[in-house]
Amino acid sequence: MSHHIAIVGAGPSGFYAADGLLRGDPAVRIDLIDRLPTPFGLVRAGVAPDHQGTKAVTRQFDKLLAQPNVRFRGGIEVGRDISWEALQAAYDAVVVATGMVIDRRLGVPGEDSAHVWGSWRFVGWLNGHPDFRRGPDLSRVKRVAVIGNGNVAIDVARVLAKSADEMAKSDIVAEAGAAIVAAPVTEIEIIGRRGPEHASFTNNELAEMGRLARAVAVTDAAALDAAVPATDPTPERLRKTRNLEILKGFAGNAPGSKPITLRFCFHAPAETLRLEDYDLVVTCIGYGGADFPKADGVFPVGWAKRGPSGTIPTNRADSHAVAQHVLAWLKANTPKDGPPKDFVDPLPDAVDAAGWQRIDKAEVAAGAAEGRPRVKLTDWAALLKVAKG
Ligand code: NAP
């Protein structure tokens, strides 16, 4: 009898774990469980809506969903609809690919004000996550602070700065897209607590900020006279050196030469900022994860294992390595040479792959009418209704 494995979380690391398990043992049976009725986790809800090229990775995941040994079980929250204990008892192994689920806190006064948003909520709103249907009121927002020097900060600042034309081929939710374009934003500060030589922006993402139609990227040249840490590994040194070159290009730009000035500010820890000086603050300073049992036979993967770092491709190698480990553990602990046990499905009613395909089809059809990749369903009830056909 083949092994039966539950993967909790149908984001990139969950799919890559399924891929790794099937490559190592094509007979393995996998239930890919997700809290949402839709698969793809951060690819759907986290990757910026204008970066459709990055979202194209879902085509690989679709192929996995079509495999006979893989079942999608959406709309099931482990801990609410089924306990971790029941899951552990029913499956030979449990892979935890739940990623990160909450915004890290800044820990400064004023961060609970209505105009301060964590990027988890903010990006969830842009991306039509059904838990985050209400966004900030942007109708009087002129000055924005985006706190953090990673790619999430870049995503947030870029989407706020882009024109309607630049967002036309995105799948941003209509309400968010309209609110951003109508907002009277003139200044967006991207604020790092350390110097530019420590920023974790990747080169392409940073360079894109210099090519925006209605925003000019600027920075203070004085902050750029910095040395990349010599102890960093070579790829990091190359990335940071290139970042400094790109920023030097921005330092020559004239603030105010386009409707929005996108200002990179460094050496400004949150304690030194006055959050009330801004009309909107978006903190992009990392995420926290959800709890899961640390037990034999339970294998965390992706962000649930490593914390919120690394791009989608990073998760492929990581998940494949964990999959090898799971298979080796199964071989040693549940060799399955006895009589086959009858598997009793422990999961409650769920959205299956066909249900997700109905959602996908409806969204893509609605998008086609507007020349967009899709128009997302953002309401829990509507998602479940369409999934059920
Ligand atoms: P990140 O790259 O780790 O950046 C987090 C930033 O928050 C850092 O600049 C960090 O500064 C800062 N920070 C943390 N605590 C802070 C505090 N209390 N006050 C002020 N600043 C604080 O993480 P991320 O931007 O959330 O991205 C998460 C992962 O997703 C990254 O691996 C990223 O590359 C990936 N991602 C990729 C893309 C893409 O490829 N296009 C897009 C989005 C996200 P310190 O360095 O000083 O700690």
Side-chain angles (χ1 to χ4, degrees):
M1 194 182 74
S2 56
H3 288 112
H4 206 153
I5 300 173
I7 299 178
V8 185
S13 62
F15 271 97
Y16 285 133
D19 182 46
L21 289 165
L22 286 166
R23 281 169 195 262
D25 178 1
V28 89
R29 290 175 301 146
I30 294 168
D31 280 353
L32 203 41
I33 301 165
D34 205 284
R35 196 182 148 256
L36 291 178
T38 51
F40 309 145
L42 264 195
V43 181
R44 183 174 163 101
V47 171
D50 59 328
H51 274 188
Q52 289 296 315
T54 309
K55 291 187 191 254
V57 69
T58 59
R59 288 191 210 119
Q60 294 172 35
F61 301 156
D62 276 328
K63 285 189 191 142
L64 280 163
L65 279 185
Q67 299 234 5
N69 286 9
V70 178
R71 296 197 308 172
F72 175 60
R73 287 291 177 264
I76 295 178
E77 183 173 339
V78 178
R80 180 192 67 185
D81 302 317
I82 179 170
S83 69
W84 285 100
E85 294 73 23
L87 212 61
Q88 286 169 259
Y91 292 86
D92 297 311
V94 176
V95 175
V96 181
T98 45
M100 292 276 135
V101 291
I102 45 165
D103 282 299
R104 200 178 270 162
R105 287 179 63 82
L106 266 183
V108 298
E111 92 168 289
D112 293 316
S113 307
H115 76 300
V116 181
W117 282 65
S119 60
W120 188 258
R121 277 197 302 152
F122 188 77
V123 175
W125 173 58
L126 304 175
N127 267 328
H129 190 298
D131 284 348
F132 306 108
R133 297 191 70 205
R134 203 184 54 80
D137 176 3
L138 299 181
S139 61
R140 284 192 288 275
V141 170
K142 291 188 177 150
R143 202 163 167 232
V144 181
V146 177
I147 300 180
N149 266 185
N151 280 339
V152 171
I154 294 272
D155 280 350
V156 167
R158 187 187 66 248
V159 170
L160 282 169
K162 273 192 169 178
S163 66
D165 270 1
E166 285 169 318
M167 292 302 286
K169 298 267 182 284
S170 79
D171 64 357
I172 191 168
V173 295
E175 187 205 320
I180 288 171
V181 170
V185 174
T186 54
E187 176 111 5
I188 301 173
E189 292 180 14
I190 300 176
I191 303 171
R193 62 178 169 182
R194 297 192 287 162
E197 71 280 22
H198 298 293
S200 53
F201 313 134
T202 45
N203 298 149
N204 287 345
E205 276 61 27
L206 182 60
E208 192 183 350
M209 301 300 252
R211 300 191 295 267
L212 301 180
R214 66 168 188 162
V216 58
V218 304
T219 191
D220 180 357
L224 304 178
D225 194 14
V228 166
T231 49
D232 278 6
T234 305
E236 275 294 270
R237 276 191 282 119
L238 292 174
R239 179 183 65 75
K240 289 176 172 179
T241 304
R242 179 76 194 117
N243 272 356
L244 286 172
E245 285 166 14
I246 295 166
L247 288 164
K248 280 176 188 156
F250 295 171
N253 292 337
S257 55
K258 290 185 184 177
I260 297 175
T261 298
L262 204 56
R263 191 181 300 278
F264 286 84
C265 309
F266 299 102
H267 301 293
E271 298 73 26
T272 67
L273 304 174
R274 288 166 48 93
L275 301 186
E276 64 273 25
D277 287 351
Y278 299 91
D279 305 311
L280 173 70
V281 177
V282 186
T283 61
C284 307
I285 59 167
Y287 306 115
D291 265 353
F292 56 86
K294 318 287 183 289
D296 206 26
V298 177
F299 301 87
V301 67
W303 280 13
K305 175 182 152 218
R306 304 191 312 273
S309 70
T311 58
I312 292 167
T314 317
N315 285 303
R316 186 170 188 273
D318 182 87
S319 289
H320 280 186
V322 172
Q324 291 309 314
H325 182 55
V326 174
L327 292 173
W329 182 88
L330 285 169
K331 213 168 175 183
N333 291 278
T334 59
K336 295 281 176 199
D337 50 3
K341 74 175 180 193
D342 284 332
F343 177 75
V344 179
D345 191 347
L347 300 178
D349 190 27
V351 175
D352 59 9
W356 153 241
Q357 276 142 18
R358 281 190 278 274
I359 294 172
D360 187 40
K361 211 169 150 197
E363 290 185 343
V364 171
E370 297 182 11
R372 289 169 176 269
R374 67 178 62 240
V375 172
K376 282 182 184 163
L377 293 166
T378 62
D379 171 58
W380 276 98
L383 282 160
L384 293 172
K385 191 171 165 216
V386 173
K388 294 223 158 75

